[in-house]
């Protein structure tokens, strides 16, 4: 039996000798490579935290001492050491999640995969422990160096450093990368620490080190200068008022030296005050294909050959991301006002293509979505047209800035939201299902949802030509499907994809849901029900032709891959009522729930978004057995009016 097989909970680590611990680390890496290669997942980050996670669980007593990961994609080793070894269904429906999940284990605390929040969580938990007399419990926050580029980190540290009596250990997992190399002033400093020979003795010369820090963006490490002064002290260069902001600093430590890491953590644990432990780790450690992957050291992989690291599930169609990336370059070549902004997601959003062509016109601001959006407003004011490329789930973090900095000032900023709708295996906090409901309330905003590659190119060009309002282009994860050509286009830009002689049902589809809408229409036709299928292209605002179409049909169905509460269907229904159109409307979309991980098809099926389910319900609505009921046929309506008139006669 392997050592890993004998580990069922963290206390099983206590009796292991140094050689056994080193063997365990090797077994964990072998397990991760073999299993993640079969299912896909976050391989590189977890290979880099093996020794660190072992040391954490030997020193601290989880779950009594809660561990918060920032972010949770680096928790695979933690899962193994807390008894979860069935990785056969990793990130698949019914299988183990790719992030911490409370329903899996009492050892999991924070499920969200949005970065830079761990210190705020740790601040609250440790404060609660102190206030409730649980002074013998510790809180551990594992913070990736990429998360240090997010503003919440500084806000939390400011509060933590003002209260020095709590048992809080903040571990900086410094591998120089989030998705890709970490950027900014913090990154430049940490890179210097990693590459200079002197880092091994850094704890003996902290003052000399911290004197080299420059801009306010490096406030985090200035804040722990000499282990005695808070970041505010150095930030304003005034020793007196902030001399009580004390945070102990230990490190940097070789994160792959188990003895050194464990020794540092025990020292931190015994300090009885907030402590920062700075560890240097290597993403992809122990797996040559990952170590030599210049793009992101196998941050996240699909199915791969475990021997070579070569991808096994290479799609034969271009991705939505690649179509956007190429088209943005084409537009930027013609218009030197176009610039790109992203938040530590240069490659995942495709902006690396523009950066290669026009390196001075792309800005990666780190994990700082709020800053990215407001900076974009400034760029627009200065005469440029910024294109802010983010995953759809991360625009949630910058809603106030979009509303008040971009929207209020009618700034010409284009937001490109990748991974919109159902993303699948990464679970609740990665689904991009909130954007349509949240963003459409911004006054004057215009939102487009392309159904295919041709429409993505077309709508992106239209968006960057708008300089008096924010625009949004949203598209899903994965490969682009076949082109869906329109039968005709209305004068206000709505594409008619299918028309029937009998105008029974109007199906309004949002973006890639057009394919589903056409499948529903086919099934309805087989039942003798005529359906018109339209793609608004620009789903916000509602175009006048959509109101006219609705008035000409007996029933309206909207299909979107966003949350249906407050979604596009709701907007169309309100606009119909405002126009005096009483056609019944059924809004189909995702429930207002946090949806677990699974494939896109599985999640859509569970939400009732299949051609069979929708067509069955529409037939019932046309027959009058399900609400909303379709309006009567013209001849039926005439007979009903005549009957009502007879009843009114004396």
């Amino acid at each position: 039996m392997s050592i890993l097989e004998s580990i069922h909970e963290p206390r099983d680590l206590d009796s292991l000798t140094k050689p056994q611990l080193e063997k365990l680390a090797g077994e964990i890496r072998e397990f991760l490579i073999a299993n993640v290669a079969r299912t896909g997942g976050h391989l590189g980050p977890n290979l880099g935290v093996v020794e660190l996670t072992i040391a954490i669980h030997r020193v601290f007593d989880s779950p009594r001492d809660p561990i918060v990961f920032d972010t949770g994609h680096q928790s695979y080793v933690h899962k193994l050491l807390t008894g979860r070894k069935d990785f056969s269904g990793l990130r698949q429906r019914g299988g183990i999640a790719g992030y911490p999940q409370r329903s899996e284990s009492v050892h999991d605390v924070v499920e969200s995969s949005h970065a830079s929040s761990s210190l705020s969580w740790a601040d609250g938990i440790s404060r609660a422990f102190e206030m409730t007399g649980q002074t013998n419990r510790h809180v551990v926050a594992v913070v990736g160096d990429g998360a240090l580029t997010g503003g919440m980190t500084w806000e939390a540290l400011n509060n933590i450093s003002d209260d020095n009596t709590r048992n809080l250990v903040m571990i900086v997992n410094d591998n120089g990368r989030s998705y890709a190399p970490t950027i900014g002033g913090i990154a430049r400093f940490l890179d210097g620490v990693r590459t200079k020979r002197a880092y091994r003795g850094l704890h003996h010369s902290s003052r000399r080190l911290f004197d080299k820090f420059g801009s306010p963006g490096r406030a985090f490490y200035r804040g722990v200068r000499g282990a005695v002064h808070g970041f505010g002290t150095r930030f304003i260069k005034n020793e007196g008022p902030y001399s009580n902001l004390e945070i102990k600093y230990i490190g940097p430590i070789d994160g792959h030296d188990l003895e050194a890491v464990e020794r540092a953590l025990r020292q931190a644990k015994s300090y009885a005050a907030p402590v920062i432990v700075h560890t240097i780790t290597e993403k992809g450690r122990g797996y040559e294909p990952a170590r030599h992957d210049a793009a992101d050291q196998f941050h996240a992989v699909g199915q791969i050959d475990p021997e070579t690291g070569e991808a096994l599930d290479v799609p034969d169609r271009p991705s939505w991301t690649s179509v956007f990336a190429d088209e943005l370059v084409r537009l930027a070549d013609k218009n030197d006002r176009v610039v790109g902004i992203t938040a530590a997601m240069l490659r995942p959003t495709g902006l690396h293509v523009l950066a290669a062509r026009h390196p001075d016109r792309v800005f990666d601001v780190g994990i700082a979505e709020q800053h990215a959006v407001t900076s974009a407003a400034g760029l627009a004011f200065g005469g440029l047209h910024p294109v802010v490329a983010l995953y759809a789930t991360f625009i949630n973090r910058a809603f106030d800035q979009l509303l008040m900095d971009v929207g209020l000032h009618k700034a010409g900023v284009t937001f490109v939201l990748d991974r919109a709708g159902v993303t699948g295996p990464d679970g609740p906090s990665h689904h991009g299902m909130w954007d349509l409901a949240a963003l459409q309330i911004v006054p004057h905003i215009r939102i487009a949802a392309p159904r295919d590659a041709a429409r993505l190119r077309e709508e992106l060009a239209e968006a960057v030509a708008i300089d008096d309002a924010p625009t949004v282009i949203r598209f899903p994860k994965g490969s682009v499907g076949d082109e869906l050509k329109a039968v005709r286009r209305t004068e206000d830009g709505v594409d008619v994809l299918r028309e029937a002689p009998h105008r029974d049902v109007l199906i309004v589809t949002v973006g890639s849901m057009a394919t589903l809408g056409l499948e529903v229409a086919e099934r309805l036709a087989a039942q003798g029900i005529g359906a018109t299928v339209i793609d608004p292209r620009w789903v916000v605002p509602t175009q006048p032709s959509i109101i006219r179409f609705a008035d000409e049909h007996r029933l309206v169905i909207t299909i979107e891959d966003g949350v249906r509460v407050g979604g596009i269907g709701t907007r169309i229904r309100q606009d119909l009522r405002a126009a005096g159109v009483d056609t019944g409307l059924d809004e189909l979309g995702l429930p207002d729930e946090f949806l677990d991980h699974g494939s896109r098809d599985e999640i859509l099926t569970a939400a009732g978004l299949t051609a069979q389910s929708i067509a069955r319900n529409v037939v019932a609505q046309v027959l009058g057995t399900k609400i909303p009921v379709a309006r009567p046929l013209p001849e039926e309506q005439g007979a009903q009016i005549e009957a009502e008139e007879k009843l009114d006669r004396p």
Side-chain angles (χ1 to χ4, degrees), residues 92 268-269 305 384 534 609:
Q92 297 171 10
K269 183 179 180 181
D305 182 327
L384 301 175
I534 63 173
L609 295 177

Side-chain angles (χ1 to χ4, degrees), residues 143-154:
V143 189
D145 61 291
L148 298 182
T149 63
M152 277 186 70
T153 300
W154 318 121

Side-chain angles (χ1 to χ4, degrees), residues 20-173:
Q20 288 175 319
L21 290 169
E22 291 175 348
K23 187 173 188 299
L24 173 63
E27 290 176 1
I28 290 174
R29 287 195 169 90
E30 291 174 1
F31 178 96
L32 291 175
I33 294 167
N35 282 271
V36 178
R38 284 196 293 267
T39 62
H42 291 91
L43 182 55
N46 285 284
L47 293 174
V49 297
V50 175
E51 291 84 2
L52 176 59
T53 309
I54 291 173
I56 290 171
H57 277 293
R58 277 174 56 86
V59 173
F60 297 95
D61 185 19
S62 175
R64 181 170 179 76
D65 296 333
I67 303 168
V68 179
F69 289 93
D70 196 347
T71 64
H73 66 256
Q74 57 188 328
S75 65
Y76 291 10
V77 183
H78 163 77
K79 289 178 183 256
L80 287 173
L81 299 180
T82 52
R84 288 167 280 178
K85 299 189 183 71
D86 183 5
F87 273 48
S88 60
L90 176 67
R91 301 165 71 242
Q92 297 171 10
R93 192 171 186 83
I96 193 171
Y99 292 86
Q101 190 161 316
R102 291 183 182 181
S103 61
E104 283 183 8
S105 173
V106 294
H107 295 277
D108 291 359
V109 179
V110 177
E111 299 185 16
S112 173
S113 60
H114 291 198
S116 306
S117 66
S118 63
L119 295 190
S120 296
W121 270 97
D123 173 59
I125 296 170
S126 62
R127 193 181 299 276
F129 285 172
E130 184 178 56
M131 293 178 68
T132 55
Q134 302 179 73
T135 55
N136 60 344
R137 300 181 70 178
H138 288 74
V139 181
V140 180
V142 182
V143 189
D145 61 291
L148 298 182
T149 63
M152 277 186 70
T153 300
W154 318 121
E155 296 167 16
L157 183 65
N158 183 40
N159 285 273
I160 291 168
S161 63
D162 192 44
D163 182 352
N164 301 318
T165 60
R166 288 177 278 153
N167 295 325
L168 171 56
V169 177
M170 298 163 278
I171 303 170
V172 177
N173 171 31

Side-chain angles (χ1 to χ4, degrees), residues 129-417:
F129 285 172
E130 184 178 56
M131 293 178 68
T132 55
Q134 302 179 73
T135 55
N136 60 344
R137 300 181 70 178
H138 288 74
V139 181
V140 180
V142 182
V143 189
D145 61 291
L148 298 182
T149 63
M152 277 186 70
T153 300
W154 318 121
E155 296 167 16
L157 183 65
N158 183 40
N159 285 273
I160 291 168
S161 63
D162 192 44
D163 182 352
N164 301 318
T165 60
R166 288 177 278 153
N167 295 325
L168 171 56
V169 177
M170 298 163 278
I171 303 170
V172 177
N173 171 31
D174 177 10
N175 61 23
R177 290 171 172 263
S178 48
Y179 286 86
T182 307
I183 61 90
I186 294 166
R188 286 194 295 274
F189 159 66
L190 293 178
D191 186 59
V193 173
R194 284 189 298 272
T195 56
K196 291 180 180 177
R197 184 177 60 183
Y199 89 83
R200 291 187 299 272
L202 182 62
H203 60 287
H204 296 302
S205 56
S206 59
R207 178 170 183 171
R208 183 169 65 253
L209 169 68
F210 286 108
D211 282 345
K212 296 180 180 179
F213 295 162
S215 70
R218 301 174 188 142
F220 180 80
Y221 285 96
R222 285 197 305 245
V224 294
R225 179 185 61 86
V228 294
H229 289 292
F231 78 92
T233 301
R234 297 287 291 173
F235 183 80
I236 66 168
K237 304 201 180 298
N238 185 340
E239 297 283 329
Y242 297 93
S243 60
N244 64 326
L245 300 182
E246 300 179 356
I247 298 181
K248 174 85 173 164
Y249 173 88
I250 300 173
I253 309 297
D254 180 351
H256 302 295
D257 184 336
L258 259 169
E259 284 189 316
V261 175
E262 189 172 327
R263 184 166 55 249
L265 293 181
R266 292 193 186 282
Q267 180 184 355
K269 183 179 180 181
S270 66
Y271 191 63
V275 181
I276 291 171
V277 178
H278 180 185
T279 64
I280 308 292
T281 63
E282 180 189 20
K283 198 171 182 178
R285 177 85 169 190
Y287 186 42
E288 291 305 304
R291 294 181 67 238
H292 293 120
D293 177 35
D296 62 6
Q297 292 181 315
F298 282 24
H299 177 84
V301 297
Q303 292 178 312
I304 60 173
D305 182 327
E307 297 297 325
T308 66
E310 294 293 326
L312 300 179
D313 55 350
V314 179
D316 56 1
R317 293 175 177 271
S319 67
W320 287 95
T321 306
S322 66
V323 173
F324 156 68
D326 292 340
E327 183 61 17
L328 184 62
V329 169
R330 192 186 70 80
L331 293 171
D333 286 345
K334 298 194 303 182
N335 182 354
D336 59 10
R337 295 176 55 245
V338 172
V339 296
I341 306 178
T342 191
M345 305 194 75
L346 194 69
R347 186 169 292 273
T349 61
L351 277 189
H352 66 291
V353 181
L354 180 62
R357 183 68 164 261
H358 300 290
D360 58 336
R361 291 164 61 185
V362 175
F363 310 102
D364 186 344
V365 301
I367 302 176
E369 291 85 358
Q370 293 173 314
H371 166 69
V373 172
T374 300
S375 178
L379 288 166
F381 179 79
L384 301 175
H385 191 103
V387 176
V388 182
L390 303 169
Y391 281 4
T393 184
F394 296 135
I395 195 63
N396 302 348
R397 306 181 63 156
F399 176 76
D400 181 70
Q401 287 70 28
L402 197 161
L403 178 66
M404 292 300 175
D405 293 320
V406 177
L408 176 62
H409 298 92
K410 298 181 180 179
V413 178
T414 294
F415 296 90
V416 174
L417 304 183

